[in-house]
Amino acid sequence: MAAPNPIDKSLRAVADALLKEKKVLLTTHIKPDGDALGCIIALHQAMVQAGADSVMYLAEDRPVAPEYGFLRGLEEVRAGSVPGDAASRTLVAVDCSNAERIGNDELVRQAPRIINIDHHSDNPRYGEINLVIGDASSTAEIIFFIMKNMGTEITPVIAEALYTGILVDSGRFQYASVSPTTFRIAADLLSAGVDHTAIFRQIYESEPLAKARLR
């Protein structure tokens, strides 16, 4: 992902907006993949570090794909039932290309404010604040830079979550969206404590046999 000045300015603006938030509800798309899950876990950790009251939420009350079960922090995600005070929380949607994919239209309608962070270029900018960088390898790559602007400490839990997002959405670092910046981020995450071999094995070598046969 290139980072010219306009993008730097947008990243700082979103980081500043998040640092001002006191109560947030973090969500992503239905049937979340590694990028979606990694982003809400990492951003939740960052918001807690910043002193915010942060809740992670998935609209579907169903287990996530088993290959992502190793992610630390996943046990804190609320699924199905919306928090009773959702209408008083800023809704932060990550890796969600349109509001419908959140899976709860009422939640979107009642949100006092929406911050939309994504890497899908067809995102219609449905938030009050929108940060969409279409040439990023993943939304996790964008979240990494937001955290840098927030002054977040990249803990092992955050690093694991972000690395998972980048690994999955970059096609194991094979897709055209991968840039030198992607590899530099990955190197930083490894330095922060990521066991890249263990993550690769959990995601790509530990999947159920029935799923593997569908490939």
Side-chain angles (χ1 to χ4, degrees), residues 137 167-179:
S137 72
L167 177 68
V168 171
D169 257 33
S170 70
R172 313 180 204 185
F173 300 95
Q174 297 179 86
Y175 294 159
S177 58
V178 173
S179 69

Side-chain angles (χ1 to χ4, degrees), residues 11-32:
L11 288 165
R12 285 194 297 271
V14 171
D16 289 345
L18 288 171
L19 286 170
K20 293 174 183 175
E21 294 292 343
K22 301 303 181 186
K23 293 180 66 176
V24 295
L25 187 63
L26 309 180
T27 193
T28 187
H29 57 80
I30 57 174
K31 299 180 182 177

Side-chain angles (χ1 to χ4, degrees), residues 129-150:
I129 297 176
N130 300 283
L131 179 58
V132 180
I133 305 178
D135 62 349
S137 72
S138 55
T139 301
E141 188 170 311
I142 302 170
I143 296 293
F144 175 85
F145 284 115
I146 291 172
M147 288 184 179
K148 286 295 186 181
N149 279 276
M150 291 175 66

Side-chain angles (χ1 to χ4, degrees), residues 21-25 83-91 110-112:
E21 294 292 343
K22 301 303 181 186
K23 293 180 66 176
V24 295
L25 187 63
D85 64 348
S88 67
R89 293 178 178 271
T90 292
L91 184 64
Q110 71 179 3

